[in-house]
């Protein structure tokens, strides 16, 4: 038998229990929402800090090659008469973020996209896949050394000073077997008592040495011949010393070019002009601030480079009035010249020399080729 009087009591208890559950659920909602928001923010923050496979190019400093860098004179010449000069011949540089061993984040990439002075590129467009930080340093160092050798050769050729081609150590990889025995700039005289005329020839001589043993080499360093036993390790059945061989020159004068840890080949043209200026009477620039960029080949050809727009900005920010740009880069120059910077297109050392001398004499680029001229000529040829 059911007691009817107990029914209201049970109903009240059920309603109270339901009310407490509703209140608990209502209290849980803001806590859950808060936790979800925190987790979401952490996920967004983590994603924004994750490295992405891009590099950011931005303007680097423009450096007067006729002056000093890091408290060290950039060009020092011994064995020939040099002359005082004025004005500035400025090599231009690009700062690259995101290379091997470094990273950039999505936030940095997005910010760079909206900055007209910067460029965002896929990493593989700038650095070979799998290249390490150490390999990048070595590659840039070898390129800079080769650029300096070629620059001196072109300047001396213009001055009718004879020199001889040689094969040399372009660079030594850090912690490689040869590190501490061979040095960048060593001229190879022989390998195991035999000589060659090119890089491939010396590579064959190294491969022909007894496997698992040091490589006997004679090199010339600072005018002295050294007989060395160079450590090597076997990689895929071949002896490897961890060096880069490159073509170079044996000059009758000693020309040292020091720019710290800046690497790459793009300052070749400006090095050539600066060495020529030091070895000739008078100021080649006429006391003007002339910046520029471009590789230099043995025949004097000026080659294109990367980051031309950033280099023009760097030159302008360093108060250069004139800029010598490789004709090969003119399609990237037109429409991007900073206000107040007169840009001249050059295709070889003679053209760069003529442009510099014209600016010195007239203080103007009138009559000199511009990138607009090059672009029009290219369109007519097409």
């Amino acid at each position: 038998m059911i007691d009817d009087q107990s029914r209201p009591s049970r109903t009240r208890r059920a309603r109270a229990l339901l009310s407490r559950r509703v209140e608990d659920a209502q209290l849980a909602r803001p806590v859950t929402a808060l936790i979800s928001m925190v987790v979401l923010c952490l996920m967004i923050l983590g994603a924004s800090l994750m490295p992405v496979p891009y590099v950011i190019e931005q303007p680097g400093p423009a450096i007067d090659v006729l002056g000093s860098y890091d408290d060290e004179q950039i060009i020092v010449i011994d064995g020939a008469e040099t002359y005082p000069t004025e004005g500035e011949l400025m090599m231009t540089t690009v700062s690259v973020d995101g290379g091997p061993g470094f990273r950039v984040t999505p936030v940095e990439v997005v910010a760079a996209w909206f900055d007209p002075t910067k460029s965002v590129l896929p990493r593989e467009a700038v650095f070979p896949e799998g290249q390490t930080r150490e390999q990048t340093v070595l590659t840039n160092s070898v390129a800079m050394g080769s650029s300096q050798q070629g620059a001196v050769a072109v300047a001396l050729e213009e001055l009718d000073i004879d020199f001889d081609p040689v094969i040399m150590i372009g660079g030594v990889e850090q912690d490689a077997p040869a590190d501490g025995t061979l040095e960048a700039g060593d001229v190879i005289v022989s390998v195991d008592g035999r000589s060659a005329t090119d890089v491939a020839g010396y590579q064959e001589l190294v491969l022909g040495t007894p496997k698992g043993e040091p490589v006997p080499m004679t090199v010339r360093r600072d005018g002295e011949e050294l007989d060395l036993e160079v450590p090597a390790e076997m990689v895929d059945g071949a002896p490897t010393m961890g060096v880069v061989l490159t073509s170079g020159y044996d000059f009758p004068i000693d020309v040292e070019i020091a720019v710290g840890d800046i690497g790459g080949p793009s300052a070749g043209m400006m090095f050539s002009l600066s060495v020529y200026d030091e070895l000739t009477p008078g100021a080649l620039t006429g006391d003007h601030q002339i910046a520029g960029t471009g590789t230099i080949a043995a025949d004097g050809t000026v080659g294109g480079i990367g980051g031309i727009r950033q280099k023009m900005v760097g030159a302008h920010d360093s108060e250069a009035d004139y800029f010598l740009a490789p004709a090969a880069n003119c399609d990237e120059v037109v429409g991007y010249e900073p206000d107040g910077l007169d840009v001249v297109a050059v295709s070889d050392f003679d053209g760069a020399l003529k442009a510099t001398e014209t600016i010195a004499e007239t203080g103007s680029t009138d009559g000199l080729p511009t990138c607009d001229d090059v672009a029009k000529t290219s369109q007519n040829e097409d």
Side-chain angles (χ1 to χ4, degrees):
M1 185 175 179
I2 300 175
D3 185 356
D4 292 340
Q5 292 181 354
S6 67
R7 290 178 179 173
S9 177
R10 288 198 296 270
T11 300
R12 284 195 297 271
R13 286 198 298 272
R15 289 175 178 173
L17 179 60
L18 177 61
S19 177
R20 284 197 298 272
R21 290 178 177 175
V22 170
E23 290 175 357
D24 290 344
Q26 290 174 337
L27 289 173
R29 285 176 185 171
V31 174
T32 301
L34 179 61
I35 293 173
S36 298
M37 183 177 297
V38 170
V39 171
L40 179 61
C41 290
L42 290 174
M43 291 176 63
I44 294 173
L45 178 61
S48 68
L49 297 177
M50 288 288 290
V52 290
Y54 291 93
V55 298
I56 299 172
E57 294 182 340
Q58 55 191 323
I63 302 164
D64 178 22
V65 182
L66 299 173
S68 60
Y69 182 71
D70 282 348
D71 298 324
E72 184 177 7
Q73 187 68 27
I74 294 178
I75 295 181
V76 177
I77 301 176
D78 289 322
E81 185 177 5
T82 58
Y83 301 88
T85 188
E86 297 176 352
E88 298 182 23
L89 286 170
M90 306 162 73
M91 60 177 280
T92 49
T93 64
V94 173
S95 174
V96 180
D97 294 334
F102 300 93
R103 69 177 194 173
V104 293
T105 65
V107 172
E108 292 171 315
V109 169
V110 171
W113 270 329
F114 290 95
D115 188 335
T117 69
K118 299 180 180 180
S119 293
V120 177
L121 299 169
R123 183 181 293 145
E124 62 270 18
V126 181
F127 302 98
E129 186 176 357
Q131 181 169 289
T132 66
R133 179 180 178 181
E134 291 74 20
Q135 290 170 335
T136 300
V137 171
L138 177 61
T139 299
N140 287 339
S141 175
V142 171
M144 173 60 80
S146 296
S147 172
Q148 293 173 355
Q149 283 272 305
V152 175
V154 169
L156 297 191
E157 182 77 23
E158 185 72 22
L159 296 168
D160 294 324
I161 298 175
D162 295 331
F163 50 88
D164 298 315
V166 296
I167 305 301
M168 61 198 309
I169 304 298
V172 182
E173 188 172 352
Q174 185 178 358
D175 298 326
D179 190 11
T181 303
L182 292 174
E183 297 180 4
D186 287 347
V187 174
I188 303 176
V189 177
S190 65
V191 172
D192 201 14
R194 292 177 292 175
S195 298
T197 58
D198 55 24
V199 170
Y202 275 116
Q203 289 173 335
E204 288 296 323
L205 291 178
V206 171
L207 291 174
T209 58
K211 293 178 172 56
E213 297 183 13
V215 177
M217 293 183 66
T218 299
V219 302
R220 186 165 58 252
R221 181 186 301 165
D222 298 328
E224 179 184 358
E225 288 195 3
L226 304 175
D227 295 322
L228 305 173
E229 295 288 326
V230 184
E233 62 183 8
M234 301 303 294
V235 177
D236 296 330
T240 301
M241 299 180 292
V243 302
V244 177
L245 306 184
T246 185
S247 299
Y249 304 95
D250 187 10
F251 300 117
I253 62 176
D254 184 24
V255 181
E256 296 290 337
I257 303 176
V259 286
D261 59 358
I262 297 174
S266 63
M269 178 185 69
M270 299 308 292
F271 287 149
S272 284
L273 289 172
S274 299
V275 172
Y276 180 90
D277 191 8
E278 296 261 357
L279 292 172
T280 53
L284 182 61
T285 68
D287 201 23
H288 292 289
Q289 285 68 46
I290 303 175
T293 187
T295 63
I296 196 82
D299 63 357
T301 299
V302 173
I305 50 82
I308 185 72
R309 294 173 185 172
Q310 286 73 39
K311 290 183 176 181
M312 289 191 296
V313 172
H316 178 265
D317 291 346
S318 297
E319 300 183 352
D321 299 311
Y322 307 94
F323 190 91
L324 307 181
N329 286 119
C330 276
D331 59 335
E332 303 171 75
V333 170
V334 175
Y336 291 91
E337 303 94 326
D339 291 340
L341 187 69
D342 288 341
V343 180
V344 180
V346 297
S347 57
D348 54 31
F349 179 74
D350 288 341
L353 185 58
K354 178 182 178 182
T356 305
E357 291 173 337
T358 298
I359 292 169
E361 294 171 2
T362 68
S364 168
T365 59
D366 291 346
L368 295 173
T370 67
C371 277
D372 284 319
D373 298 330
V374 173
K376 291 175 183 178
T377 301
S378 178
Q379 290 175 355
N380 291 335
E381 290 176 351
D382 292 342

